[in-house]
Amino acid sequence: MDYLAEILILAFGAAIANNFVLVYFVGICPFIGVSRRVDMAFGMGMAVTFVISVAAALSWFFTYFFLQPDAPWATAIYNALGGEGGSDLSILYYIIYIFVIAASVQLVEMYVRKMFPPLYKSFGVFLPLITTNCAILFACLEIMKGIHGAADPWGLDKALTLAIFGGVGFTIAIVIMAGIREELDLCDVPKALKGAGITLLVAGILAMAFMGFAGVKKSLKAMTESEPAAAVKVQETPPADKTAPPAKPDSVVASISKECDA
Amino acid sequence: MGHCTGRGCGICSDLFEPVKKGVGSDNPILSHMLGICSALAVTTGMESTLVMCFALTAVATGSTFVVSILSRFTPHRVRMIMQMLVIATLVTVVNMLLLANPETFDTARRIGTYIALIITNCLIMGRCEAYSMRHGPVKSALDGFGASLGYSIVLVLIALVREVIGKGEFMGKPICGLDSAGEGIYVFKFGVMGTVVGAFLAMAMVVWIVRSIWPDETANEHPEATQ
């Protein structure tokens, strides 16, 4: 039960409470650049979620078995070649990650082009450009932090949970943003604020709304740690959390658009 | 990312023209909205901002220089991966340098993730792709330096706003003779500026003020160029 609670808290944290875009500021470029229309934003979010999962699984594999200090497979190879003691390839982290990301973008691109031609067309130029999306490298770096020198190194399950829900959080943020910006087209924005300026202001207000979820995460954690009996409750709460988050930002959207109408 | 073509980048007669452009009309943050992830994340304090600016300037100058040399021997199809490899290598080196220096060790530990994220900073990729592939190494290095100087100036501005207003401190020391217990002369503190929200608001304010004073720059805006 502890394991389940841990995974759920990680998932909730990655998607909502520690949202990649609105708390860690990664992936801001597409957040501002590709948030003109909701359908485009959703496509971008799904593409990022795809790539982030593949890249996270691959980088977990490389980090765990080859790159971390005393990694099992790298040490075996090193010893077979006549070396002594453990290997330490941690200097190669960044280079391997960037290769893994570029390769998984290529992989996803080929797969989508073969299997879903219409989807491929709608992604257009965004797909190759995901390579330079900081959110993906950020997920890889978080996984590295979870493995490197940790007393209890992350398994593939935790790495994938962080990556997939990080991608979902990115999608939530960018879709909300696109919804607000569609409404903003009808508003009279000062000329100097048009485009990037007003987007940043709206992002600030959104970040304020998302700050509230930090408290939810804290109480969720407290609930799992306090009593074994509370564990049953924990099982019930996550579905409620999944429905709750969109509710709040939606009300933010509504209130902002109301202000615009007035 | 070819946003630079068609605006006279190729006809820079003066060697220092790229530096001037990077700070002014071609400022990566203000006119292109490039590389703002780190601009928002590290500006809570002046110290981390300066470390970040140093790291970015070093990586940008070095990588534009190296990419410009390598571009002659690189097939067109693999140029992106070559640029990324060069940048990632330089970031690893700079990160190790910062961690080796006792003065920057703590700060580098704290913002380590964002130093690593320099690899995917659109600013550097943008300069490599738009300028270094077609110009000589010295010119490219100056261009990279100019762009990162423009970036640094904006970052320091935002950090100044956020640290002074948000924490009532400057370079980690309280201003107006406030002692560590928080007693002394009253200092105006607006805590929200130190948080995530303040980062977005401060950035929006800087963009707003700059574009009101120099309205021409709105014409240069290509939000799509960042993606």
Side-chain angles (χ1 to χ4, degrees), chain A residues 96-204:
Chain A
I96 296 286
Y97 289 158
I98 208 68
F99 267 110
V100 161
I101 292 169
S104 44
V105 168
Q106 203 75 36
L107 209 78
V108 169
E109 191 183 354
M110 285 187 322
Y111 177 74
V112 173
R113 182 157 61 183
K114 185 95 171 86
M115 297 301 179
F116 313 101
L119 193 67
Y120 179 75
K121 249 184 203 159
S122 66
F123 281 166
V125 72
F126 301 134
L127 210 46
L129 282 174
I130 293 173
T131 317
T132 55
N133 189 330
C134 347
I136 295 161
L137 185 60
F138 180 77
C140 293
L141 290 169
E142 286 292 298
I143 291 165
M144 172 199 98
K145 270 193 206 160
I147 295 176
H148 184 104
D152 174 26
W154 282 18
L156 184 60
D157 47 357
K158 276 192 188 173
L160 269 181
T161 311
L162 177 90
I164 293 173
F165 283 91
V168 169
F170 177 83
T171 312
I172 292 175
I174 197 170
V175 166
I176 293 173
M177 191 69 200
I180 296 176
R181 282 187 77 177
E182 278 187 355
E183 299 283 329
L184 271 178
D185 283 345
L186 308 171
C187 299
D188 189 17
V189 179
K191 197 165 167 267
L193 257 183
K194 269 206 171 104
I198 193 75
T199 314
L200 285 168
L201 273 184
V202 172

Side-chain angles (χ1 to χ4, degrees), chain A:
Chain A
M1 197 51 76
D2 268 358
Y3 170 77
L4 188 65
E6 209 176 339
I7 290 287
L8 285 173
I9 287 176
L10 188 68
F12 179 72
I16 308 288
N18 295 332
N19 191 293
F20 278 19
V21 179
L22 295 169
V23 175
Y24 289 119
F25 307 111
V26 290
I28 295 272
C29 299
F31 183 66
I32 289 174
V34 200
S35 58
R36 283 273 161 88
R37 295 202 333 263
V38 170
D39 52 342
M40 247 162 70
F42 187 72
M44 183 73 194
M46 291 327 283
V48 166
T49 311
F50 265 168
V51 175
I52 215 170
S53 322
V54 178
L58 281 174
S59 58
W60 177 84
F61 172 80
F62 281 116
T63 313
Y64 194 86
F65 289 112
F66 290 102
L67 298 177
Q68 64 162 326
D70 299 325
W73 292 11
T75 306
I77 294 171
Y78 182 58
N79 290 343
L81 291 176
E84 276 176 29
S87 70
D88 184 0
L89 293 176
S90 53
I91 194 173
L92 288 177
Y93 278 147
Y94 300 162
I95 293 172
I96 296 286
Y97 289 158
I98 208 68
F99 267 110
V100 161
I101 292 169
S104 44
V105 168
Q106 203 75 36
L107 209 78
V108 169
E109 191 183 354
M110 285 187 322
Y111 177 74
V112 173
R113 182 157 61 183
K114 185 95 171 86
M115 297 301 179
F116 313 101
L119 193 67
Y120 179 75
K121 249 184 203 159
S122 66
F123 281 166
V125 72
F126 301 134
L127 210 46
L129 282 174
I130 293 173
T131 317
T132 55
N133 189 330
C134 347
I136 295 161
L137 185 60
F138 180 77
C140 293
L141 290 169
E142 286 292 298
I143 291 165
M144 172 199 98
K145 270 193 206 160
I147 295 176
H148 184 104
D152 174 26
W154 282 18
L156 184 60
D157 47 357
K158 276 192 188 173
L160 269 181
T161 311
L162 177 90
I164 293 173
F165 283 91
V168 169
F170 177 83
T171 312
I172 292 175
I174 197 170
V175 166
I176 293 173
M177 191 69 200
I180 296 176
R181 282 187 77 177
E182 278 187 355
E183 299 283 329
L184 271 178
D185 283 345
L186 308 171
C187 299
D188 189 17
V189 179
K191 197 165 167 267
L193 257 183
K194 269 206 171 104
I198 193 75
T199 314
L200 285 168
L201 273 184
V202 172
I205 296 168
L206 266 182
M208 214 183 289
F210 270 72
M211 270 167 88
F213 290 114
V216 179
K217 194 189 171 194
K218 216 181 267 174
S219 53
L220 234 141
K221 218 174 200 169
M223 210 151 71
T224 51
E225 278 165 5
S226 58
E227 289 288 318
V232 188
K233 270 187 203 163
V234 178
Q235 251 186 334
E236 288 164 5
T237 36
D241 289 332
K242 268 171 205 155
T243 51
K248 192 169 183 188
D250 273 351
S251 62
V252 175
V253 177
S255 63
I256 286 170
S257 60
K258 244 180 234 164
E259 277 170 32
C260 282
D261 291 339

Side-chain angles (χ1 to χ4, degrees), chain B residues 112-131:
Chain B
T113 310
Y114 293 99
I115 290 179
L117 285 175
I118 292 178
I119 299 169
T120 51
N121 195 317
C122 337
L123 188 161
I124 300 179
M125 285 287 280
R127 288 336 288 172
C128 286
E129 181 72 15
Y131 198 88

